[in-house]
Amino acid sequence: MAVVKGSQQDRLVIRHYEPGQRVRRFFYFWLTLIVIGAGGYFAGTYQSMETINTLTQQRDSFEGQLLQAERGIEEMTQRVKVLEKGGEVDRQATEGIRQTVRELKAQVSSLEEEVSFYKGIMAPSSGDKGLRVSKMDITTADGSHIDYSIVLTQVADNSSYISGLAAVNVIGQRQGEQVILPLRELDPEITELGIKFRFRYFQEVKGRLSLPDDFQPQKIQVVLQATGSKAQRVERTEEWPQPQGEA
């Protein structure tokens, strides 16, 4: 073949031609991709399973701890209830005993007062003889009424009856002035100036009175006037009891 000097020459390359090579390369390429994908998939799945197993174990452990805690709380709650119930029973029993003791003390005090009262009548001290005002009690019945009780006695010389009149007065202040109110102005059951009495050992005069709104009681006065062979005059004055809570 003639070659012209100075002209461009093309190189001829000779290669071995295999018709199935391209197909095999394409097949291997996709096979590699599939293997890598499958490997990644199984590796991820394995790792996920491991993670799930770990989390499941932790969950089971936490559930066990929670169950134990709930049981502990229930046990503690039951113990608290038992202790509270026991404490309430103890408090009720203690309060019941205290109330019983208070009632017994009140009964003993009342009995001692009665014994002293009767001893004073039957066996008085030296010089304590004749008509006496032994006791005056004033108690508030409600907001506007007051109960009173006055005990008259005949000490030592009680072989016969004694009779006469008892005058009861309430002394206090009204509009800055001292006022004496007789019982008949305070107790609707009393209509006479004096209350008649007749007894051998003792007699109780009692009732319910109402005080005027503008009247401030300060004292209660009892005047006894016996008649007949045992005629004598006895007077006793006591401070008006102040309501509870006042000095």
Side-chain angles (χ1 to χ4, degrees):
M1 179 178 179
V3 178
V4 181
K5 187 177 181 180
S7 63
Q8 184 176 358
Q9 300 296 320
D10 293 329
R11 297 180 65 185
L12 178 64
V13 179
I14 298 174
R15 292 182 178 179
H16 180 72
Y17 174 70
E18 294 181 3
Q21 185 177 7
R22 180 177 297 180
V23 176
R24 286 196 300 273
R25 289 179 179 177
F26 181 80
F27 173 77
Y28 290 145
F29 172 77
W30 283 107
L31 180 62
T32 303
L33 288 179
I34 292 172
V35 171
I36 294 173
Y41 170 78
F42 287 111
T45 301
Y46 177 79
Q47 185 175 2
S48 298
M49 292 298 296
E50 287 294 325
T51 303
I52 291 173
N53 290 334
T54 302
L55 293 176
T56 301
Q57 292 176 359
Q58 292 180 353
R59 182 202 62 189
D60 294 340
S61 176
F62 289 152
E63 287 180 350
Q65 294 177 12
L66 178 60
L67 182 60
Q68 292 180 356
E70 289 177 347
R71 290 176 179 174
I73 292 173
E74 185 176 356
E75 292 177 358
M76 293 300 295
T77 302
Q78 293 297 327
R79 291 182 60 185
V80 169
K81 289 181 178 179
V82 170
L83 292 174
E84 287 180 347
K85 185 176 181 180
E88 181 64 25
V89 171
D90 291 342
R91 286 191 293 272
Q92 291 179 357
T94 302
E95 183 59 29
I97 293 173
R98 289 177 178 174
Q99 180 64 27
T100 301
V101 170
R102 286 194 292 266
E103 292 176 355
L104 290 175
K105 285 184 177 180
Q107 293 177 6
V108 170
S109 177
S110 177
L111 290 174
E112 289 179 347
E113 186 176 353
E114 290 185 12
V115 170
S116 177
F117 173 74
Y118 287 111
K119 281 185 177 181
I121 295 176
M122 305 307 297
S125 58
S126 178
D128 188 11
K129 296 181 180 181
L131 184 63
R132 293 287 182 271
V133 180
S134 295
K135 184 170 61 173
M136 294 190 294
D137 287 335
I138 303 294
T139 57
T140 301
D142 52 41
S144 59
H145 298 91
I146 297 171
D147 290 334
Y148 64 89
S149 173
I150 302 170
V151 179
L152 314 179
T153 60
Q154 183 179 202
V155 180
D157 187 14
N158 46 33
S159 57
S160 60
Y161 285 87
I162 186 171
S163 58
L165 293 175
V168 181
N169 302 312
V170 179
I171 304 172
Q173 293 284 328
R174 173 185 282 172
Q175 298 179 355
E177 296 183 358
Q178 188 179 57
V179 178
I180 299 177
L181 298 179
L183 187 61
R184 65 178 180 178
E185 294 184 12
L186 306 174
D187 186 349
E189 300 295 327
I190 305 299
T191 58
E192 302 293 334
L193 182 61
I195 302 171
K196 294 181 180 180
F197 64 82
R198 185 177 184 275
F199 61 92
R200 183 176 177 183
Y201 296 104
F202 67 92
Q203 180 176 333
E204 182 182 16
V205 177
K206 62 180 180 179
R208 177 170 292 184
L209 58 85
S210 299
L211 296 175
D213 295 336
D214 60 347
F215 178 77
Q216 181 63 41
Q218 295 176 332
K219 297 180 181 180
I220 181 170
Q221 179 188 60
V222 179
V223 180
L224 305 180
Q225 181 61 58
T227 59
S229 60
K230 295 184 176 181
Q232 65 179 115
R233 186 178 186 276
V234 177
E235 180 178 333
R236 179 174 174 176
T237 302
E238 287 190 1
E239 297 294 325
W240 189 269
Q242 296 184 5
Q244 293 183 357
E246 295 184 7

